[in-house]
């Protein structure tokens, strides 16, 4: 389904990313992960309209960043919300991978304007700032889906230079310079949200919570690519395929 | 166990609905799902008295909407609470599927009169209103079960035109125009309850929570049939059958 | 390991009870379930010192209610806390089955003197009263274990005529007139605790919570033997044995 | 990978400890467990840089307590944070096993200075005191990892004579006189944290919580080696290996 130009390893990694996110409970039938084309930065790779846990290499479709249309006219039907990916790739040349998801612990933060803060060292990137986007600010009365380039562009503008953006009543979109980092960030964003929720409850409104400070965040995000995690997550997916 | 008149695909879908609800943790030994007969709107299909995860096509029984008695005199024993289904089909000609369940996150809302509100776009239907029914208002001193048509009718009256009704200290009943929508609503009602609970805790009584507004609700419920979810949920059930 | 006098079906049910409680997460390496001998009310059946999920019929040992010593002198080593069982069988001729466990949601109630109340109709028996026993009232400075008949008797006195007793910082002990009822009560005690916890949080100290009233409790406990649940729980255990 | 001097049973136990901690959800890709060499107290055994659930006997590396360098020059790459282990073995001759982990329920306590207290008898050791270490007190602006002997020594000093130390925004390190005790403590530290969190919420700031007192703690920790648990945890790991 994709042009031969993309690195086959990138395709394999993208398939792994889809299955890892499903296996780790970050996506279910919804949510999607993409990678920018390694040789054509004006293109990106994204599965056809399928639950991520069911994606194989043959399901990967090549899209144009400009307009989010597939390169091949006979491409199968894509995700409605692929404009999330295209508009971020357009606005952020540094971004090589994007994960959109509905992980459950994040949504309550998106609806209460309680800012996520970096409480767990595995989620240090949260300290780079995680703004919240409300689709209602872009357009009132939507069905909450990012159905076109205008909504995607508005979301990308709120994301700005940050590593992630919450989407009110919907979920989040996480970006990174490579696939393992984007997948790891999506997984640990949810864990950070759960830990921060519990810390807020424990602190009870009158006790301080110690978050990572900006120097600690900077020292950690400089290298954190979740390499040992990626290897384990892949092994877990493989083990289930073998035993199935 | 059922008359040949019903569409075999409807029977298969109803069996899938039973197994999906069990696999997704919405029902255990208790809870049941029914579908209105596709050719005889005065009849509905419901499993015999069996845990939903154990239901096969041979367990589906055809019932009369009027009185909730089986069409065939030799039908196996049915669920005591089938009057939930029959009275809703009687009161709501638009309803084609009904799910009754005890999903855990919903019960605390039913006992505290904290109204469920649409916090997650996958549960937009909550914004159409989810009233709470207290069986005590219909009859004091019951064992909490909807054992007859009078109790079922009282529940159906509280449900009114809404997509779901909470049952105090018991669970909920969810309705829709088709089986996938009813199943999806039952699953996401529980997720919405968990997210709303956490948002209420985070908001702490003094911060606002942003719920979906009525225009967003209307735009979303118009099309949401959980199609990609239904396909994934079926695949998960099938994978377990194959590996068993 | 047991005398031939006991009904073989009772032995099979007791093995099932052990495995069900492990599979449902109510016991792990600790916790135990016993049944009174069907023909000799002065005796009871309890597994040897083994994790409940690993118990087979050959592991069932017959004990004397008076003193909690095994009937056969060559019996394998038993649970240290078997005095929980023996003293309850001594004090309560109506009790035919006892489950001791550490289910997690119950412990916080045991340490805070927040009384469990019947919030969920599947746990109506909670409305018969669930007192809390503090071993410190019987003997200061213990290791928290019910190591002898005196401690077991003190616990049984606090249990009184109730269906369950919480044990501070330890867990609970649940009793019933038959094994499925005792197992079901142990499982739903934990679920009731989780639901009540969430309702208390939602109510926030200033909103009322509607619990089952005494008439509703009486109507429900009169018949509730968790029959359909027992059948499903057994099937789940069997499915795992077959696929292993 | 290890010298032949260590007891083969110790190696097997260490492999089991790795897999048990992964299977019980206490470690994922991160976290590690070590044992002091049984014949050379100046050495310890720790897996190479690998997720604990993937560790086999061939992955165990022998390290010098002084400096945390491997005994063999051709040893494979080790964990960056092995100084946690070496500095504790140096400071605590009584310690024979160390578990470092990120279990989720513990982190919120580490960030709020709410002291863990012994609420559950299986975690009585918490009553011996669990201080919190903030890496920022040793060195500002780190990436949160214990990357050298100085940081490890500072952590060991905060641990002092206690059985565990929380690490702010990171996790915890747990020690014991043998492997099963260290593994059991790591598992029950997380359970104690969850139970204490719920008790604090239930108590609501104005009701007392009854923790184990010092006499109860002393009576329990004197013998608690989690023996029946260790046997069950091993069986669970083995069952998964067999069915895989």
């Amino acid at each position: 389904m994709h042009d031969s130009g993309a690195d086959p390893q990138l395709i394999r990694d993208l398939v792994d990313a889809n299955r890892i996110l499903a296996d780790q409970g970050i996506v279910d039938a919804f949510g999607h992960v993409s990678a920018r084309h390694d040789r054509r930065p004006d293109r990106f790779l994204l599965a056809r309209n399928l639950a991520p846990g069911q994606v194989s290499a043959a399901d990967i479709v090549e899209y144009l960043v400009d307009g989010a249309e597939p390169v091949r006219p006979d491409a199968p039907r894509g995700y409605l919300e692929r404009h999330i990916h295209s508009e971020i790739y357009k606005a952020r040349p540094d971004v090589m991978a994007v994960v959109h998801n509905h992980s459950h612990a994040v949504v309550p933060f998106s609806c209460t304007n309680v800012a996520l803060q970096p409480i767990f060292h595995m989620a240090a990137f949260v300290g780079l700032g995680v703004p919240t986007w409300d689709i209602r600010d872009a357009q009132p009365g939507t069905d909450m889906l990012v159905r076109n380039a205008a909504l995607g562009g508005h979301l990308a503008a709120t994301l700005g230079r940050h590593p992630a953006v919450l989407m009110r009543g919907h979920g989040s979109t996480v970006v990174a310079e490579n696939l393992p980092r984007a997948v790891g960030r999506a997984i640990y964003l949810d864990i950070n949200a759960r830990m921060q929720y519990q810390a807020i409850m424990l602190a009870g409104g009158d006790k301080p919570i110690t978050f990572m400070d900006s120097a600690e965040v900077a020292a950690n995000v400089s290298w954190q690519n979740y390499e040992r995690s990626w290897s384990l997550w892949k092994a877990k997916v493989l083990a289930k395929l073998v035993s199935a």
Side-chain angles (χ1 to χ4, degrees), chain A residues 17-235:
Chain A
N18 272 277
R19 295 181 180 186
I20 286 169
L21 288 165
D23 191 48
Q24 295 291 316
I26 298 301
V27 298
D28 45 23
F30 296 92
H32 16 81
V33 49
S34 68
R36 193 191 290 269
H37 196 293
D38 56 302
R39 292 169 45 172
R40 299 280 311 253
D42 59 329
R43 298 183 179 187
F44 67 101
L45 304 163
L46 179 68
R48 67 179 177 93
N49 183 24
L50 196 65
Q54 300 177 311
V55 167
S56 295
D59 301 308
I60 303 297
V61 175
E62 197 169 314
Y63 286 97
L64 296 172
V65 166
D66 190 9
E69 289 306 310
V71 171
R72 291 171 57 151
D74 61 343
R77 192 158 70 94
Y79 297 120
L80 282 173
E81 296 196 299
R82 60 190 185 273
H83 302 280
I84 295 173
H85 301 261
S86 59
E87 294 302 314
I88 289 175
Y89 287 122
K90 192 185 295 179
R92 288 278 299 271
D94 60 309
V95 167
M96 298 303 284
V98 175
V99 177
H100 168 63
N101 73 89
H102 303 168
S103 71
H104 292 183
V106 165
V107 174
F109 282 86
S110 80
C111 303
T112 53
N113 281 318
V114 176
L116 280 176
Q117 294 188 68
I119 199 166
F120 186 38
H121 74 308
M122 297 297 297
F125 72 96
V126 171
L128 300 177
V130 180
T132 296
W133 178 69
D134 190 334
I135 194 171
R136 206 181 290 166
D137 295 334
Q139 182 181 336
T142 69
D143 64 0
M144 306 287 284
L145 298 192
V146 181
R147 285 180 178 270
N148 56 51
L151 289 168
H154 199 275
L155 172 67
T158 302
L159 170 65
R161 308 305 303 166
H162 299 107
V165 58
L166 304 195
M167 301 159 78
R168 190 264 308 164
H170 184 156
S172 68
T173 297
V174 179
V175 304
E177 299 81 357
N178 57 63
L179 268 170
R181 184 176 274 196
V183 167
R185 284 178 173 182
I187 291 170
Y188 281 104
L189 186 70
D190 194 65
I191 294 173
N192 193 93
R194 279 187 274 148
M195 289 179 174
Q196 187 178 343
Y197 171 86
Q198 290 171 22
I200 290 171
M201 295 295 108
L202 275 179
D206 57 355
K207 286 185 283 294
I209 302 173
T210 304
F211 296 105
M212 293 175 75
D213 63 27
S214 56
E216 289 166 344
V217 166
N220 195 292
V221 296
S222 63
W223 59 268
Q224 183 56 273
N225 278 316
Y226 306 98
E227 285 173 4
R228 209 191 304 152
S229 301
W230 178 261
S231 167
L232 179 67
W233 292 328
K234 276 210 304 186

